[in-house]
Amino acid sequence: MAMMSIIGLTATALGTYSSIVNANAQAAQQAAAYQAQAQLSEYNAKIAEQNAKLSEEQASAERRQGYEEMESIRLKGAKAIGAQRAAAGASGAVVDIGSNLDLQLDTAQLSEIDAINAYNTGIDNAYNYEVQAWNARSQAANYRAQAGSYESAASSARSAGRYNAWNAALGGIASIGNAFGQTTTWWNY
């Protein structure tokens, strides 16, 4: 009878120990998984930030390109007007009145419209890249929030593991105490 009680107590103690180890192992695995997710979210946030910087650089390049294109078109227009004036002057016509003047004004007007359109295209393209940058920064903030949630979940998993281990230990101790109390004759042997 005493041998059965010792075997039962030993089995209960081993079961309790196994429950404690399992609770800690499960918590550690779950916490590690959450930690890995947090690191991945932080990595994704860094990539999103880099994308935002690239978009801002592209926006700046688009603005610069639009301005340079505008200046180039204005220069070509001025050269065209100069060529018109030279041709009219070489033919002996008066360049500042009548149809020659109208031609020069039309060339200037069309040239300026093209220049403004080129500049606006650059501004529009820049705006689109700025929107991309804003979206990337927003995405980075979301990734950082996810990382914080995963960090919190990892901490909670570790706490739950400790709680479960303590519950297993206390439950095992209670079972051993209960079994010990029911077998009062085992130490008489």
Side-chain angles (χ1 to χ4, degrees):
M1 182 76 149
M3 186 59 116
M4 289 294 276
S5 297
I6 292 174
I7 291 172
L9 289 174
T10 303
T12 302
L14 288 174
T16 300
Y17 175 76
S18 176
S19 294
I20 292 169
V21 169
N22 285 338
N24 282 326
Q26 285 177 339
Q29 285 178 334
Q30 195 172 25
Y34 285 132
Q35 203 66 42
Q37 287 291 87
Q39 289 172 347
L40 179 62
S41 291
E42 278 296 330
Y43 177 76
N44 287 337
K46 288 178 184 176
I47 290 173
E49 279 293 335
Q50 187 62 32
N51 288 340
K53 288 178 185 177
L54 291 173
S55 291
E56 287 172 344
E57 290 171 7
Q58 191 63 38
S60 179
E62 289 290 334
R63 270 191 299 280
R64 185 174 43 255
Q65 182 179 349
Y67 179 79
E68 289 171 359
E69 183 69 19
M70 176 183 69
E71 291 299 313
S72 175
I73 291 171
R74 284 179 174 162
L75 182 60
K76 287 177 187 175
K79 285 181 182 180
I81 291 171
Q84 290 168 353
R85 289 176 67 89
S91 70
V94 179
V95 295
D96 293 333
I97 58 171
S99 62
N100 286 325
L101 180 60
D102 289 341
L103 179 63
Q104 293 168 35
L105 291 174
D106 288 345
T107 301
Q109 181 182 14
L110 293 174
S111 175
E112 186 61 21
I113 288 171
D114 288 345
I116 290 171
N117 285 337
Y119 181 74
N120 285 339
T121 297
I123 295 297
D124 290 344
N125 291 342
Y127 175 77
N128 290 335
Y129 281 109
E130 288 168 347
V131 168
Q132 286 179 10
W134 186 86
N135 288 338
R137 286 228 159 72
S138 207
Q139 188 177 31
N142 287 338
Y143 282 130
R144 286 203 175 89
Q146 270 184 344
S149 293
Y150 285 128
E151 290 283 346
S152 178
S155 177
S156 294
R158 285 189 287 274
S159 294
R162 285 190 296 273
Y163 176 79
N164 291 339
W166 274 106
N167 276 346
L170 292 175
I173 291 169
S175 294
I176 291 170
N178 190 26
F180 182 74
Q182 291 177 357
T183 57
T184 56
T185 58
W186 73 273
W187 49 23
N188 291 334
Y189 292 99

